[in-house]
mmCIF file of all heavy atoms in Angstrom:
data_model
loop_
_atom_site.group_PDB
_atom_site.id
_atom_site.type_symbol
_atom_site.label_atom_id
_atom_site.label_comp_id
_atom_site.label_asym_id
_atom_site.label_seq_id
_atom_site.Cartn_x
_atom_site.Cartn_y
_atom_site.Cartn_z
ATOM 1 N N LYS A 1324 8.138 -29.177 0.984
ATOM 2 C CA LYS A 1324 8.232 -29.446 -0.451
ATOM 3 C C LYS A 1324 8.904 -28.258 -1.110
ATOM 4 O O LYS A 1324 8.822 -27.131 -0.616
ATOM 5 C CB LYS A 1324 6.848 -29.614 -1.085
ATOM 6 C CG LYS A 1324 6.106 -30.843 -0.696
ATOM 7 C CD LYS A 1324 4.820 -30.927 -1.489
ATOM 8 C CE LYS A 1324 4.103 -32.229 -1.175
ATOM 9 N NZ LYS A 1324 2.852 -32.331 -1.906
ATOM 10 N N ARG A 1325 9.523 -28.495 -2.251
ATOM 11 C CA ARG A 1325 10.074 -27.380 -3.014
ATOM 12 C C ARG A 1325 8.897 -26.565 -3.551
ATOM 13 O O ARG A 1325 7.960 -27.103 -4.119
ATOM 14 C CB ARG A 1325 10.917 -27.886 -4.179
ATOM 15 C CG ARG A 1325 11.578 -26.750 -4.929
ATOM 16 C CD ARG A 1325 12.356 -27.262 -6.141
ATOM 17 N NE ARG A 1325 12.918 -26.153 -6.873
ATOM 18 C CZ ARG A 1325 12.218 -25.315 -7.637
ATOM 19 N NH1 ARG A 1325 10.913 -25.444 -7.760
ATOM 20 N NH2 ARG A 1325 12.813 -24.329 -8.281
ATOM 21 N N ILE A 1326 8.957 -25.278 -3.332
ATOM 22 C CA ILE A 1326 7.879 -24.396 -3.786
ATOM 23 C C ILE A 1326 8.367 -23.684 -5.033
ATOM 24 O O ILE A 1326 9.279 -22.871 -4.980
ATOM 25 C CB ILE A 1326 7.505 -23.361 -2.699
ATOM 26 C CG1 ILE A 1326 7.181 -24.034 -1.359
ATOM 27 C CG2 ILE A 1326 6.385 -22.468 -3.177
ATOM 28 C CD1 ILE A 1326 5.928 -24.870 -1.346
ATOM 29 N N GLY A 1327 7.771 -23.988 -6.153
ATOM 30 C CA GLY A 1327 8.121 -23.318 -7.405
ATOM 31 C C GLY A 1327 7.192 -22.150 -7.643
ATOM 32 O O GLY A 1327 7.078 -21.259 -6.819
ATOM 33 N N ALA A 1328 6.527 -22.157 -8.777
ATOM 34 C CA ALA A 1328 5.550 -21.120 -9.120
ATOM 35 C C ALA A 1328 4.153 -21.745 -9.039
ATOM 36 O O ALA A 1328 3.644 -22.270 -10.025
ATOM 37 C CB ALA A 1328 5.823 -20.581 -10.512
ATOM 38 N N PRO A 1329 3.517 -21.718 -7.876
ATOM 39 C CA PRO A 1329 2.209 -22.360 -7.714
ATOM 40 C C PRO A 1329 1.148 -21.772 -8.649
ATOM 41 O O PRO A 1329 1.131 -20.571 -8.896
ATOM 42 C CB PRO A 1329 1.853 -22.072 -6.254
ATOM 43 C CG PRO A 1329 3.124 -21.685 -5.596
ATOM 44 C CD PRO A 1329 3.980 -21.078 -6.654
ATOM 45 N N LYS A 1330 0.279 -22.624 -9.152
ATOM 46 C CA LYS A 1330 -0.798 -22.193 -10.048
ATOM 47 C C LYS A 1330 -1.713 -21.156 -9.393
ATOM 48 O O LYS A 1330 -2.302 -20.323 -10.068
ATOM 49 C CB LYS A 1330 -1.649 -23.393 -10.470
ATOM 50 C CG LYS A 1330 -0.951 -24.361 -11.368
ATOM 51 C CD LYS A 1330 -1.929 -25.456 -11.770
ATOM 52 C CE LYS A 1330 -1.250 -26.797 -11.661
ATOM 53 N NZ LYS A 1330 -2.152 -27.895 -11.953
ATOM 54 N N SER A 1331 -1.829 -21.225 -8.074
ATOM 55 C CA SER A 1331 -2.729 -20.298 -7.375
ATOM 56 C C SER A 1331 -2.183 -18.873 -7.332
ATOM 57 O O SER A 1331 -2.918 -17.947 -7.016
ATOM 58 C CB SER A 1331 -2.998 -20.796 -5.955
ATOM 59 O OG SER A 1331 -1.776 -20.925 -5.249
ATOM 60 N N ASP A 1332 -0.911 -18.684 -7.679
ATOM 61 C CA ASP A 1332 -0.327 -17.336 -7.694
ATOM 62 C C ASP A 1332 -0.538 -16.740 -9.080
ATOM 63 O O ASP A 1332 0.387 -16.609 -9.877
ATOM 64 C CB ASP A 1332 1.157 -17.379 -7.328
ATOM 65 C CG ASP A 1332 1.786 -15.992 -7.290
ATOM 66 O OD1 ASP A 1332 1.034 -14.990 -7.359
ATOM 67 O OD2 ASP A 1332 3.018 -15.917 -7.195
ATOM 68 N N THR A 1333 -1.779 -16.359 -9.362
ATOM 69 C CA THR A 1333 -2.128 -15.838 -10.686
ATOM 70 C C THR A 1333 -1.514 -14.474 -10.958
ATOM 71 O O THR A 1333 -1.424 -14.057 -12.109
ATOM 72 C CB THR A 1333 -3.664 -15.757 -10.838
ATOM 73 O OG1 THR A 1333 -4.193 -14.965 -9.768
ATOM 74 C CG2 THR A 1333 -4.280 -17.150 -10.802
ATOM 75 N N ALA A 1334 -1.046 -13.774 -9.920
ATOM 76 C CA ALA A 1334 -0.387 -12.472 -10.100
ATOM 77 C C ALA A 1334 1.093 -12.646 -10.447
ATOM 78 O O ALA A 1334 1.767 -11.670 -10.722
ATOM 79 C CB ALA A 1334 -0.526 -11.635 -8.837
ATOM 80 N N LYS A 1335 1.576 -13.895 -10.407
ATOM 81 C CA LYS A 1335 2.988 -14.191 -10.665
ATOM 82 C C LYS A 1335 3.891 -13.309 -9.803
ATOM 83 O O LYS A 1335 4.787 -12.623 -10.281
ATOM 84 C CB LYS A 1335 3.322 -14.053 -12.146
ATOM 85 C CG LYS A 1335 2.519 -14.998 -13.016
ATOM 86 C CD LYS A 1335 3.020 -14.996 -14.438
ATOM 87 C CE LYS A 1335 2.194 -15.869 -15.355
ATOM 88 N NZ LYS A 1335 1.820 -17.148 -14.925
ATOM 89 N N SER A 1336 3.636 -13.358 -8.503
ATOM 90 C CA SER A 1336 4.333 -12.481 -7.560
ATOM 91 C C SER A 1336 5.841 -12.658 -7.591
ATOM 92 O O SER A 1336 6.580 -11.711 -7.332
ATOM 93 C CB SER A 1336 3.796 -12.687 -6.145
ATOM 94 O OG SER A 1336 4.021 -13.998 -5.710
ATOM 95 N N GLN A 1337 6.324 -13.864 -7.944
ATOM 96 C CA GLN A 1337 7.771 -14.074 -7.992
ATOM 97 C C GLN A 1337 8.451 -13.183 -9.035
ATOM 98 O O GLN A 1337 9.649 -12.950 -8.962
ATOM 99 C CB GLN A 1337 8.126 -15.552 -8.223
ATOM 100 C CG GLN A 1337 7.875 -16.051 -9.632
ATOM 101 C CD GLN A 1337 6.451 -16.515 -9.884
ATOM 102 O OE1 GLN A 1337 5.533 -16.241 -9.096
ATOM 103 N NE2 GLN A 1337 6.231 -17.213 -10.964
ATOM 104 N N ASP A 1338 7.689 -12.639 -9.991
ATOM 105 C CA ASP A 1338 8.234 -11.708 -10.980
ATOM 106 C C ASP A 1338 8.292 -10.276 -10.443
ATOM 107 O O ASP A 1338 8.881 -9.410 -11.085
ATOM 108 C CB ASP A 1338 7.378 -11.707 -12.257
ATOM 109 C CG ASP A 1338 7.455 -13.019 -13.024
ATOM 110 O OD1 ASP A 1338 8.383 -13.814 -12.770
ATOM 111 O OD2 ASP A 1338 6.561 -13.247 -13.866
ATOM 112 N N HIS A 1339 7.667 -10.020 -9.303
ATOM 113 C CA HIS A 1339 7.526 -8.655 -8.800
ATOM 114 C C HIS A 1339 8.046 -8.443 -7.379
ATOM 115 O O HIS A 1339 8.351 -7.310 -6.999
ATOM 116 C CB HIS A 1339 6.053 -8.235 -8.844
ATOM 117 C CG HIS A 1339 5.435 -8.452 -10.185
ATOM 118 N ND1 HIS A 1339 5.692 -7.644 -11.262
ATOM 119 C CD2 HIS A 1339 4.609 -9.434 -10.632
ATOM 120 C CE1 HIS A 1339 5.030 -8.092 -12.323
ATOM 121 N NE2 HIS A 1339 4.363 -9.175 -11.966
ATOM 122 N N VAL A 1340 8.102 -9.506 -6.595
ATOM 123 C CA VAL A 1340 8.503 -9.420 -5.194
ATOM 124 C C VAL A 1340 9.578 -10.482 -4.945
ATOM 125 O O VAL A 1340 9.393 -11.628 -5.336
ATOM 126 C CB VAL A 1340 7.292 -9.681 -4.264
ATOM 127 C CG1 VAL A 1340 7.691 -9.579 -2.798
ATOM 128 C CG2 VAL A 1340 6.149 -8.728 -4.573
ATOM 129 N N PRO A 1341 10.692 -10.125 -4.302
ATOM 130 C CA PRO A 1341 11.714 -11.149 -4.028
ATOM 131 C C PRO A 1341 11.175 -12.281 -3.165
ATOM 132 O O PRO A 1341 10.462 -12.040 -2.194
ATOM 133 C CB PRO A 1341 12.798 -10.374 -3.271
ATOM 134 C CG PRO A 1341 12.565 -8.942 -3.569
ATOM 135 C CD PRO A 1341 11.093 -8.799 -3.827
ATOM 136 N N TRP A 1342 11.507 -13.514 -3.562
ATOM 137 C CA TRP A 1342 11.180 -14.717 -2.792
ATOM 138 C C TRP A 1342 12.483 -15.261 -2.241
ATOM 139 O O TRP A 1342 13.454 -15.406 -2.977
ATOM 140 C CB TRP A 1342 10.577 -15.794 -3.688
ATOM 141 C CG TRP A 1342 9.159 -15.626 -4.078
ATOM 142 C CD1 TRP A 1342 8.415 -14.486 -4.079
ATOM 143 C CD2 TRP A 1342 8.303 -16.654 -4.562
ATOM 144 N NE1 TRP A 1342 7.152 -14.739 -4.533
ATOM 145 C CE2 TRP A 1342 7.056 -16.068 -4.848
ATOM 146 C CE3 TRP A 1342 8.474 -18.008 -4.796
ATOM 147 C CZ2 TRP A 1342 5.985 -16.797 -5.338
ATOM 148 C CZ3 TRP A 1342 7.405 -18.731 -5.289
ATOM 149 C CH2 TRP A 1342 6.166 -18.128 -5.554
ATOM 150 N N TYR A 1343 12.519 -15.588 -0.959
ATOM 151 C CA TYR A 1343 13.692 -16.182 -0.337
ATOM 152 C C TYR A 1343 13.287 -17.527 0.246
ATOM 153 O O TYR A 1343 12.192 -17.678 0.765
ATOM 154 C CB TYR A 1343 14.237 -15.285 0.780
ATOM 155 C CG TYR A 1343 14.650 -13.921 0.293
ATOM 156 C CD1 TYR A 1343 13.799 -12.829 0.426
ATOM 157 C CD2 TYR A 1343 15.878 -13.730 -0.320
ATOM 158 C CE1 TYR A 1343 14.168 -11.571 -0.029
ATOM 159 C CE2 TYR A 1343 16.265 -12.479 -0.787
ATOM 160 C CZ TYR A 1343 15.404 -11.403 -0.635
ATOM 161 O OH TYR A 1343 15.770 -10.170 -1.103
ATOM 162 N N SER A 1344 14.191 -18.495 0.168
ATOM 163 C CA SER A 1344 13.938 -19.809 0.750
ATOM 164 C C SER A 1344 15.134 -20.189 1.614
ATOM 165 O O SER A 1344 16.274 -20.166 1.145
ATOM 166 C CB SER A 1344 13.727 -20.858 -0.342
ATOM 167 O OG SER A 1344 13.368 -22.090 0.245
ATOM 168 N N TYR A 1345 14.870 -20.503 2.871
ATOM 169 C CA TYR A 1345 15.916 -20.849 3.816
ATOM 170 C C TYR A 1345 15.735 -22.302 4.237
ATOM 171 O O TYR A 1345 14.614 -22.722 4.527
ATOM 172 C CB TYR A 1345 15.858 -19.940 5.044
ATOM 173 C CG TYR A 1345 15.962 -18.478 4.685
ATOM 174 C CD1 TYR A 1345 14.841 -17.654 4.710
ATOM 175 C CD2 TYR A 1345 17.169 -17.928 4.293
ATOM 176 C CE1 TYR A 1345 14.933 -16.310 4.368
ATOM 177 C CE2 TYR A 1345 17.271 -16.588 3.942
ATOM 178 C CZ TYR A 1345 16.148 -15.790 3.985
ATOM 179 O OH TYR A 1345 16.231 -14.461 3.631
ATOM 180 N N PRO A 1346 16.826 -23.063 4.313
ATOM 181 C CA PRO A 1346 16.697 -24.477 4.680
ATOM 182 C C PRO A 1346 16.331 -24.700 6.142
ATOM 183 O O PRO A 1346 15.773 -25.738 6.488
ATOM 184 C CB PRO A 1346 18.078 -25.063 4.371
ATOM 185 C CG PRO A 1346 19.009 -23.893 4.413
ATOM 186 C CD PRO A 1346 18.197 -22.702 3.987
ATOM 187 N N ASP A 1347 16.634 -23.717 7.010
ATOM 188 C CA ASP A 1347 16.335 -23.855 8.432
ATOM 189 C C ASP A 1347 16.311 -22.473 9.090
ATOM 190 O O ASP A 1347 16.678 -21.473 8.475
ATOM 191 C CB ASP A 1347 17.353 -24.766 9.123
ATOM 192 C CG ASP A 1347 18.782 -24.348 8.856
ATOM 193 O OD1 ASP A 1347 19.087 -23.134 8.914
ATOM 194 O OD2 ASP A 1347 19.609 -25.231 8.576
ATOM 195 N N VAL A 1348 15.897 -22.444 10.334
ATOM 196 C CA VAL A 1348 15.778 -21.180 11.064
ATOM 197 C C VAL A 1348 17.138 -20.512 11.225
ATOM 198 O O VAL A 1348 17.268 -19.295 11.087
ATOM 199 C CB VAL A 1348 15.111 -21.400 12.443
ATOM 200 C CG1 VAL A 1348 15.079 -20.122 13.263
ATOM 201 C CG2 VAL A 1348 13.699 -21.951 12.274
ATOM 202 N N ALA A 1349 18.174 -21.288 11.484
ATOM 203 C CA ALA A 1349 19.504 -20.725 11.717
ATOM 204 C C ALA A 1349 20.042 -19.965 10.505
ATOM 205 O O ALA A 1349 20.764 -18.985 10.655
ATOM 206 C CB ALA A 1349 20.485 -21.831 12.113
#
Side-chain angles (χ1 to χ4, degrees):
K1324 291 185 176 179
R1325 184 183 177 286
I1326 306 293
K1330 291 183 225 177
S1331 58
D1332 182 10
T1333 56
K1335 299 189 183 315
S1336 62
Q1337 73 275 14
D1338 292 343
H1339 308 285
V1340 181
W1342 283 21
Y1343 300 98
S1344 185
Y1345 303 105
D1347 52 44
V1348 175

